[in-house]
Amino acid sequence: MLNIGVALIGTGFMGKTHALAWRNVKAVMGDVPTPVLTVLCDTPLPQAERFAGQFGFARATDDWQAMLADPAVQVVSITTPNRMHHAMALAALAAGKHVWCEKPMALTLEQAEEMEAAARAAGVVTMVGYNYIKNPAFTHAQRLIAEGAIGRLVQFRGWVDEDYQADPALPWSWRAMIAEAGLGALGDIGSHLVSMAHGLMGPIASVMADMQTIHETRPLPDGSGSGVVENEDAASVLLRFASGAQGSMVISRSAWGRKSRLGFEVHGTTGMITFDQERMNELQLYQNLGPMAEQGFKTILTGPAHPPYGAFCPAPGHQLGFNEMKIIECAALLRAIAGGPKAHPDFTDALAYERAIHAMAQSAREERRVSL
Amino acid sequence: MLNIGVALIGTGFMGKTHALAWRNVKAVMGDVPTPVLTVLCDTPLPQAERFAGQFGFARATDDWQAMLADPAVQVVSITTPNRMHHAMALAALAAGKHVWCEKPMALTLEQAEEMEAAARAAGVVTMVGYNYIKNPAFTHAQRLIAEGAIGRLVQFRGWVDEDYQADPALPWSWRAMIAEAGLGALGDIGSHLVSMAHGLMGPIASVMADMQTIHETRPLPDGSGSGVVENEDAASVLLRFASGAQGSMVISRSAWGRKSRLGFEVHGTTGMITFDQERMNELQLYQNLGPMAEQGFKTILTGPAHPPYGAFCPAPGHQLGFNEMKIIECAALLRAIAGGPKAHPDFTDALAYERAIHAMAQSAREERRVSL
Amino acid sequence: MLNIGVALIGTGFMGKTHALAWRNVKAVMGDVPTPVLTVLCDTPLPQAERFAGQFGFARATDDWQAMLADPAVQVVSITTPNRMHHAMALAALAAGKHVWCEKPMALTLEQAEEMEAAARAAGVVTMVGYNYIKNPAFTHAQRLIAEGAIGRLVQFRGWVDEDYQADPALPWSWRAMIAEAGLGALGDIGSHLVSMAHGLMGPIASVMADMQTIHETRPLPDGSGSGVVENEDAASVLLRFASGAQGSMVISRSAWGRKSRLGFEVHGTTGMITFDQERMNELQLYQNLGPMAEQGFKTILTGPAHPPYGAFCPAPGHQLGFNEMKIIECAALLRAIAGGPKAHPDFTDALAYERAIHAMAQSAREERRVSL
Amino acid sequence: MLNIGVALIGTGFMGKTHALAWRNVKAVMGDVPTPVLTVLCDTPLPQAERFAGQFGFARATDDWQAMLADPAVQVVSITTPNRMHHAMALAALAAGKHVWCEKPMALTLEQAEEMEAAARAAGVVTMVGYNYIKNPAFTHAQRLIAEGAIGRLVQFRGWVDEDYQADPALPWSWRAMIAEAGLGALGDIGSHLVSMAHGLMGPIASVMADMQTIHETRPLPDGSGSGVVENEDAASVLLRFASGAQGSMVISRSAWGRKSRLGFEVHGTTGMITFDQERMNELQLYQNLGPMAEQGFKTILTGPAHPPYGAFCPAPGHQLGFNEMKIIECAALLRAIAGGPKAHPDFTDALAYERAIHAMAQSAREERRVSL
């Protein structure tokens, strides 16, 4: 199989997950092209150099625009702060590179639309970092649904809660500014939940939402007073799907005790499936089968029967981790580059997710149902 | 303490829970008046007689109106089908009896309002059967909130799901008719959730809801075709509380696998409390206290430290059951009759719950936010 | 059906559970004889009188021997401290009464043997208070095993832990004295676990045990120093069953956080069943059936499909409580008195359980395997 | 920091985990020497070559003895079948290489003792693959105990269950032969539990065990009849620790439904800690602190407050996986090679674990308590 030259921009939380994915994907999967860790970009340059050494990239740079001109680079990972995704992705696409961009695509829907159009025009492979839907537990849920294991789908319940903005004493930061961060909880974590809802239920037809800024101001870091929080800490949403199913979502970045509580219930006419990311190796399945006295929710522990779990470990129930979902995502990208199935979710898929979260925000602002 | 003459109308699901409560309340609590099981009413008469023997009532009748004239009767339990509550309660109040009525109070809001006005005019003790809020786990959650254990309340999440109408093959019944049953899932089970939301968060200011009839028709029992389901199987609701907090509710009588899943999350600025009725002896509490490395949700098993658990059992964690909550409810009623604190929820409290569920139905029908 | 005159000795923890069972059994079950609450015995007399009023007994006495001469009494509940069971049961049997005795039967194995022989000679109905094996979840486990749902049984794992003696600061009491309490954790709670093991796996062939007195002394209540704890706080046991299966038990009355953790795993050649009393309305079942990708432990919530749950509540998952198991036990006793199936566990069954716990204690003292 | 030349023998389950650890450890941890993936050894050679390409090793070989003469190799990972550990480790030590060997060290205790002596004589760094005790949840439990969070330790309960030998229809294999596999469940999985017991409670003083071969024969793969299973499917053990604490272990490779159920309870005089590997990112902590009404087991989700979780992910509760524990293990090895703290568990530590499992087997065979 071919070699693929990789550039990575960013060395933060997501930057490291991309670096680990690039380092591992071939060793884990075997049947993918070999990524060649070509250049790592960050600022200032010494930081880029330090992480290039740690992550095993051949070179470091602080000039992402020059880097995009390098013919040795075939695919670019964009893991910078959200406000930079738009310019970097457009430039990478213009340079003919494949692009793996973290979510959300951009601060505004208009930017995301521009990126998606550019991706279609460029004809390269794109992918957006919706790693949670790569979990073998999630894809098994999709398989169960496709096989009719729970009948016709009638309801979706989704939740995504964390507590990284729960403490009122937490200082004000760029996260609170629309111009820097865009949406709040909806963009940060709500979009992951939308990717799940899409993958399970199909497209969302309309939304009706409420938003809430729980902590309206936060202390400025320099102690000089307090700054306004411009975006939402929490949102609640009524959903109608194109299929006719209904549902709801609840989203909070200020939910004490929740660390990565991202999950769903899918209600069908013959059963139910539920999942929660805080126990990401478990899937709950109820089927109206057999005698009532033996019915119950089954806790299915993922294992080799749930591909591609077996690429990581031949023994069931041994537990995959968050970082390993990024490897599955990376493998899908590499296979698409090598001519395999379309990468999912690409910029077009991801634009649909972002349309949904912006529609939720609009619905809340305008206090009316918004169709998609 | 005094003796109280009790009449019970109905011998079904709720009739039996009332009978058990009347039989047990004195033995469990000690410090309440002694109920005297005077007369049991049902139709036909032989059924009433059979259950009077089984439940230990002195007499049986099939004539509830005559029964209400009996001076030996001081309090009446009304556990008949929903459509009969209105007439029976009004007659009992007119006869000067204390009334313990099952929920929902009536089929329509107008009927409920009439009952509430009559109750206030009669000056007797009334109570509506919201047993779940009598659980020591629930009242402990209220106590924790009142003590500030989780700070200012900012969000409520509620759910109530059962699967008694999940099977599409289930025959059509009176439950499907508005004229017989009134609201569907909202009235049957949603009102319990509203009672919890009120008890934890205070009054609801406005609602925005969606309703869904999942099974639009059902086979007629006689095999002659199918009947229309007129009321909702499921509902999803956005909530705004008078306090400024927000929240949501999801409700379904067609949720496979859920048997009595009635629960909540209350999000505060310093912690969270959650509960689920399917594990009714457990309360989950997270507090932002102590080192982060030791923070987590505590699973509190109810025990004598959570009154009135100790009246049932001196040993913690031994598990109370559903029927025992009805005993706690009955004790509150008896104490109010004996001049103790006001029974809660009385017809006035319960009317507020019913206003909320009717506002949800109205919101869904009119596709707009409805204020309360 | 006939009426049965009931006498109850004792008004403590277990006394109250018996009283509630006697009051409820007819109302719940319907098809049992009607208990007539004839006389309540306790000392001093005013206490007996107070509880006779509360529990609804016709008369009170402080003279249990005189009471046993009363021809109106047909069955006697013995719920006094353990050291009094022996004399009271022998006297009741001698008077030709049916006997419902709390466990353990006696302080020593010799006493228990004498009681069992007397019961056989008297030809009356006897029952010992092993309420946990009356749980519909437990009897459903038995039914599943009998139907071959998990194949041939190969292993048993049992545990029973509480924390009522966990605190080193707890004062010394009669519980610590062999002459007053007999065995410690083995007798108090271990015998319940033995009753489960018997019911699931059949007779125990031999045991090998360790015992541990975790808190060797305790402060005397009068502050005058400390008293010696003579019996065990904890025990661990290797089991061999007559069937050839093996297993283990762990038992502690000093296990912080455990309130009523009594449970088991039964391993079969085609599946596993597990249960824990702290979630007494749930049974876990794994079967090696269907595709591996869909296998998992099912959480079965008890309901009307698990008799006699439906006698308490027609809706599944609504939760039975600890006290309600005592009602099921009481119904079995009444049915046996009325000529139905033998009450289980009677004095003969219970003697086998007590033999097992005494063999465990002997094994630990003598540091050798003890056969039964 | 220095570079370290790595050789890996074996490409199976554990071979892949070592390869992934070597590939990741620097990228994850930063502050460790840089492993240079020098040579991969397996048979036949084409397999070695294929995996060298996949795992990123510079060269492949099928001659492990020649490989050990290579001065470019400084550390050797031994992940071959158990019966080969002994010869390979001795040769590697003789060649002056650092050794990372999978567990169990050897088939017999004598072999393990010889290896340990050789390691001490060689003066190199050794490590044995007890990855589960590298979990941040486990090391946090150790820290809590050391800080006195649960008082004096009084009991240990351990379990380790899988179902890879549960199916009676599974064909006979080398696993069933003492000469090929050594001990059965004790060696395969029991030794992991021993490593946990040691890490939490200190050394084991004596054991009393039962063993059980659940499936005494298995069908031969060629259909020609059945082969005898020579080693144990399950074991149960009573433990006494040098500290005076007591405890137990239960171990099965034939426990249907258990996939990686490895866990413990540690009972202290003021609290309890429990853990289960099937939910490896959770630790349960109960402390007798504060009002009884607020006491309960806390579910602590691991996060950056539990080092080195933060090296993998800056966000709590995002879930580490099984393979990532191997990276933590690898980092400890590299740090020891670079002159940091002693690698743990080295051959001396691991010998103590293996002594314990062989003592258990001996105890079961000889039906007597065996001291260590």
Side-chain angles (χ1 to χ4, degrees), chain D residues 280-296:
Chain D
M280 62 171 271
N281 290 281
E282 301 180 13
L283 195 68
Q284 301 277 334
L285 171 65
Y286 185 99
Q287 293 177 287
N288 176 29
L289 287 177
M292 186 55 64
E294 267 82 81
Q295 290 192 8

Side-chain angles (χ1 to χ4, degrees), chain A residues 16 24 27-28 54 279 282 311, chain D residues 16 24 27-28 54 279 311:
Chain A
K16 192 169 191 175
N24 277 287
V28 169
Q54 176 172 338
R279 289 177 174 166
E282 301 179 13
Chain D
K16 192 169 190 175
N24 277 287
V28 169
Q54 177 171 339
R279 289 178 173 166

Side-chain angles (χ1 to χ4, degrees), chain B residues 13 16 20 23-24 26-28 30 54 259-260 278-279 282 311-312 314 316-319 321-324, chain C residues 13 16 20 23-24 26-28 30 54 259-260 278-279 282 301 311-312 314 316-319 321-324:
Chain B
F13 182 176
K16 192 169 190 175
L20 292 173
R23 284 196 69 75
N24 277 287
K26 175 74 184 183
V28 168
Q54 176 172 339
K259 307 304 177 185
S260 185
E278 284 183 355
R279 289 177 174 165
E282 301 180 13
F312 295 91
H318 277 51
Q319 314 289 302
F322 168 82
N323 287 326
E324 291 173 318
Chain C
F13 182 175
K16 192 169 191 177
L20 292 173
R23 287 195 67 75
N24 277 287
K26 176 74 183 182
V28 168
Q54 176 171 340
K259 306 304 179 186
S260 185
E278 284 183 356
R279 288 176 174 167
E282 300 180 13
L301 290 178
F312 295 92
H318 277 52
Q319 313 288 303
F322 168 82
N323 288 326
E324 291 173 318

Side-chain angles (χ1 to χ4, degrees), chain B:
Chain B
M1 282 196 177
L2 68 171
N3 288 347
I4 305 277
V6 175
L8 165 61
I9 322 181
T11 59
F13 182 176
M14 281 300 126
K16 192 169 190 175
T17 67
H18 279 240
L20 292 173
W22 287 120
R23 284 196 69 75
N24 277 287
V25 64
K26 175 74 184 183
V28 168
M29 298 294 177
D31 63 344
V32 292
T34 302
V36 180
L37 280 61
T38 304
V39 53
L40 178 66
C41 176
D42 204 352
T43 57
L45 186 60
Q47 169 149 333
E49 285 167 342
R50 182 162 63 85
F51 279 106
Q54 176 172 339
F55 295 166
F57 279 76
R59 288 189 288 112
T61 180
D62 61 354
D63 181 345
W64 62 267
Q65 279 146 321
M67 182 186 80
L68 292 176
D70 185 342
V73 171
Q74 287 154 280
V75 58
V76 181
S77 275
I78 302 174
T79 72
T80 46
N82 299 347
R83 64 180 158 75
M84 302 166 77
H85 294 178
H86 174 250
M88 288 176 171
L90 289 180
L93 293 167
K97 310 301 185 190
H98 306 295
V99 178
W100 186 13
C101 185
E102 269 311 303
K103 44 66 49 194
M105 291 169 75
L107 294 190
T108 68
L109 186 57
E110 291 67 29
Q111 289 176 332
E113 286 168 340
E114 190 183 354
M115 290 157 74
E116 192 267 346
R120 275 190 289 111
V124 295
V125 172
T126 60
M127 189 160 212
V128 183
Y130 286 97
N131 42 298
Y132 296 107
I133 59 178
K134 298 302 179 182
N135 185 341
F138 184 81
T139 44
H140 188 58
Q142 291 180 304
R143 200 173 308 121
L144 286 167
I145 288 169
E147 291 169 5
I150 60 167
R152 177 173 60 91
L153 305 191
V154 295
Q155 274 237 348
F156 174 85
R157 311 264 181 86
W159 54 87
V160 54
D161 290 326
E162 301 197 9
D163 64 4
Y164 61 93
Q165 296 283 304
D167 192 344
L170 204 75
W172 186 92
S173 76
W174 63 270
R175 284 186 183 283
M177 290 178 68
I178 288 175
E180 289 288 311
L183 293 171
L186 281 168
D188 253 21
I189 52 179
S191 55
H192 281 297
L193 183 54
V194 169
S195 76
M196 286 184 156
H198 259 254
L200 297 162
M201 307 291 294
I204 297 169
S206 72
V207 299
M208 178 74 221
D210 249 3
M211 291 196 299
Q212 187 179 8
T213 301
I214 290 170
H215 305 294
E216 298 185 350
T217 61
R218 291 194 170 277
L220 290 173
D222 62 4
S224 68
S226 62
V228 173
V229 177
E230 298 173 357
N231 50 24
E232 76 289 352
D233 289 318
S236 305
V237 190
L238 306 181
L239 298 168
R240 292 186 192 158
F241 292 90
S243 70
Q246 295 192 4
S248 63
M249 284 185 182
V250 286
I251 299 150
S252 177
R253 65 183 182 188
S254 299
W256 271 118
R258 305 309 192 190
K259 307 304 177 185
S260 185
R261 193 166 173 92
L262 166 64
F264 58 82
E265 291 178 2
V266 176
H267 299 214
T269 50
T270 64
M272 189 188 293
I273 298 174
T274 82
F275 169 83
D276 199 285
Q277 169 67 19
E278 284 183 355
R279 289 177 174 165
M280 63 170 271
N281 291 281
E282 301 180 13
L283 195 68
Q284 301 277 333
L285 171 65
Y286 185 99
Q287 293 177 287
N288 176 31
L289 287 177
M292 187 54 66
E294 267 82 81
Q295 289 192 8
F297 274 92
K298 262 194 285 193
T299 301
I300 301 170
L301 290 179
T302 49
H306 310 96
Y309 178 104
F312 295 91
C313 180
H318 277 51
Q319 314 289 302
L320 300 190
F322 168 82
N323 287 326
E324 291 173 318
M325 291 185 286
K326 215 71 191 171
I327 296 173
I328 302 174
E329 196 183 333
C330 186
L333 174 69
L334 281 173
R335 289 188 177 117
I337 290 173
K342 187 186 90 69
H344 173 83
D346 64 10
F347 277 23
T348 301
D349 302 315
L351 180 60
Y353 309 160
E354 310 227 351
R355 279 213 171 100
I357 58 171
H358 285 283
M360 292 170 192
Q362 183 189 359
S363 166
R365 281 191 307 266
E366 302 180 0
E367 304 219 5
R368 64 173 188 86
R369 181 170 290 278
V370 171
S371 294
L372 281 142

Side-chain angles (χ1 to χ4, degrees), chain A residues 149-172:
Chain A
I150 59 167
R152 176 171 61 91
L153 305 191
V154 295
Q155 272 238 349
F156 174 86
R157 311 262 181 88
W159 54 87
V160 53
D161 290 326
E162 301 197 9
D163 65 3
Y164 60 94
Q165 297 283 305
D167 192 345
L170 204 75
W172 187 92

Side-chain angles (χ1 to χ4, degrees), chain A residues 28 34 114 220 230 249 294 319 368:
Chain A
V28 169
T34 303
E114 190 183 356
L220 290 172
E230 299 172 355
M249 285 186 181
E294 267 83 81
Q319 313 289 302
R368 63 174 187 88

